[in-house]
Amino acid sequence: VPSTGSGLILGRVVDATSGRPVPDVTVTLTGPPRAPGAAPPQVLTSADGYFLFAGLSRGGYQLAASKGGYVPGAHGKLQPSGGGQTLDLADAERRTDVTIPMWRYASISGAVVDEAGEPLVGVPVRLLRRSIVGGAWHLTFVSTQATDDRGIYRAAQLVPGDYVAAIATTVATVPTAGQDAYVEVIATASISPYQAGMDAGSGSSLATQ
């Protein structure tokens, strides 16, 4: 980091659930304008999760953290799907109390079976994230996962939160008159139930012979 000032940011990246330090996290610092074409400085956290940026001038800075298996983190981020906050640094200020929490990605798995308990293969299962927006619950589509040959589905790389697993179904409706005719035909055994079902499914009218 170019020595454009005497400010300093010393911080630590921790697991948001356990509070344990997270090593080998890439921490990126962005802030006041730098030399044209200069890339934002980056450092790796130590075995104890610590990182350090020195030689900083006054201004507002953003700290972003990334590591495989974790949701991207940021200074001031309070929840997995939330945003970060700007860290304001005064002249020659030394900030040594910065903590960046990081959440591990989650996964959801389950099985889809029929009424007899047999697995259903190739069924698309939709994952919807549930969140509160404007004081009301809302569902946001995340992904679709098909069941395998065991009827099992699995969705990975999910931001921790509340989810709903849903299967779309198709419901067919039959006019009341058609239902009454179908019942009458079956009751009088004028045609076989199988043939009646075929006729009803094709939309043909039922009649006694």
Side-chain angles (χ1 to χ4, degrees), residues 107-162:
S107 64
I108 295 175
S109 61
V112 180
V113 298
D114 61 18
E115 63 273 10
E118 294 297 322
L120 296 178
V121 180
V123 175
V125 179
R126 302 184 66 189
L127 267 294
L128 307 170
R129 181 178 172 83
R130 191 174 68 155
S131 58
I132 296 179
V133 179
W137 284 104
H138 285 259
L139 294 176
T140 304
F141 173 77
V142 176
S143 67
T144 298
Q145 306 295 328
T147 58
D148 60 17
D149 57 355
R150 301 168 296 168
I152 295 176
Y153 68 91
R154 184 176 187 275
Q157 293 289 100
L158 299 176
V159 175
D162 293 329

Side-chain angles (χ1 to χ4, degrees), residues 37-140:
Q42 294 182 327
V43 296
L44 283 177
T45 58
S46 65
D48 294 328
Y50 284 103
F51 63 88
L52 171 67
F53 292 99
L56 303 178
S57 60
R58 66 177 300 172
Y61 291 89
Q62 295 81 41
L63 290 161
S66 62
K67 181 179 181 177
Y70 284 85
V71 178
H75 165 68
K77 192 172 185 177
L78 302 179
Q79 56 185 357
S81 58
Q85 298 177 359
T86 298
L87 187 156
D88 293 318
L89 201 66
D91 283 328
E93 184 178 6
R94 302 169 65 88
R95 291 290 302 270
T96 60
D97 58 347
V98 177
T99 299
I100 299 178
M102 293 188 74
W103 288 262
R104 287 186 179 273
Y105 279 114
S107 64
I108 295 175
S109 61
V112 180
V113 298
D114 61 18
E115 63 273 10
E118 294 297 322
L120 296 178
V121 180
V123 175
V125 179
R126 302 184 66 189
L127 267 294
L128 307 170
R129 181 178 172 83
R130 191 174 68 155
S131 58
I132 296 179
V133 179
W137 284 104
H138 285 259
L139 294 176
T140 304

